[in-house]
């Protein structure tokens, strides 16, 4: 079942359950996917759809951090509920040990020796962890491995 079909099914379920938070997040996600389809000019592949979901998740995570920094826990609480709904549509995140193993394997396979090879490592690694790890965390692990 594609992500679009899953979202439609979940939207119907949320409507029947009167779950306003889940319904609003699903509608927002469907709109973001539709906008991306218009932008690229063809139906989205699963990888492209996953990229859109990850982008929405990152926006919510940044919004939550900004709300907490502004001492607005009431707003952060609402965003936390949205994050929980979005997390349902992302693949299972990689554990720290799995991510470290992927970084080490990629550094070896690319033959990286110094920080100058960071672009090669990141280019090979990011498609492997798409939607399953935060880019900033991956960058920090690669920097650590190359130093």
């Amino acid at each position: 079942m594609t992500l679009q079909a899953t979202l439609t099914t979940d939207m119907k379920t949320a409507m029947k359950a009167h779950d306003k938070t889940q319904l609003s997040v699903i509608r927002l996600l469907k709109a973001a996917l539709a906008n991306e389809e218009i932008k690229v000019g063809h139906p989205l592949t699963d990888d492209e759809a996953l990229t859109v979901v990850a982008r929405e998740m990152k926006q919510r995570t940044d919004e939550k951090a900004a709300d907490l920094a502004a001492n607005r826990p009431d707003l952060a609480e609402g965003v936390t509920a949205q994050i929980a709904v979005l997390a349902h549509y992302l693949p299972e995140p990689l554990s720290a040990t799995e991510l470290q193993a992927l970084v080490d394997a990629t550094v070896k396979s690319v033959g990286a020796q110094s920080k100058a090879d960071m672009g090669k490592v990141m280019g090979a690694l990011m498609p492997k962890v798409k939607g399953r790890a935060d880019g900033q965390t991956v960058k920090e692990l690669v920097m650590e491995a190359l130093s």
Side-chain angles (χ1 to χ4, degrees):
M1 185 180 256
T2 65
L3 180 61
Q4 298 276 13
T6 303
L7 285 171
T8 301
T9 304
D10 289 352
M11 187 167 74
K12 289 175 185 176
T13 305
M15 283 180 183
K16 289 177 183 176
H18 300 288
D19 186 346
K20 291 182 180 185
T21 302
Q22 184 173 9
L23 183 59
S24 68
V25 172
I26 291 172
R27 284 181 173 159
L28 180 128
L29 192 53
K30 284 179 68 86
L33 290 168
N35 288 338
E36 189 70 16
E37 276 187 1
I38 292 168
K39 182 178 171 184
V40 297
H42 60 79
L44 297 178
T45 64
D46 288 338
D47 280 345
E48 291 170 331
L50 182 63
T51 301
V52 173
V53 176
R55 183 183 323 134
E56 292 296 321
M57 178 67 102
K58 175 120 174 75
Q59 287 176 354
R60 297 305 168 287
T61 305
D62 292 347
E63 183 179 346
K64 180 181 175 183
D67 290 344
L68 291 174
N71 198 22
R72 295 294 308 265
D74 53 325
L75 295 177
E77 185 178 318
V79 175
T80 302
Q82 293 177 2
I83 289 171
V85 173
L86 285 171
H88 177 72
Y89 300 104
L90 287 172
E92 191 69 31
L94 291 169
S95 69
T97 55
E98 291 172 324
L99 186 57
Q100 186 64 51
L102 265 175
V103 168
D104 293 340
T106 305
V107 167
K108 283 183 183 176
S109 71
V110 172
Q113 308 242 337
S114 67
K115 290 184 180 181
D117 299 324
M118 177 124 179
K120 286 194 268 183
V121 175
M122 291 297 286
L125 185 60
M126 287 310 289
K128 296 177 187 175
V129 300
K130 185 177 224 163
R132 299 185 69 201
D134 179 50
Q136 185 64 33
T137 305
V138 173
K139 178 184 170 192
E140 290 170 2
L141 289 173
V142 170
M143 291 281 280
E144 185 178 302
L146 294 177
S147 59

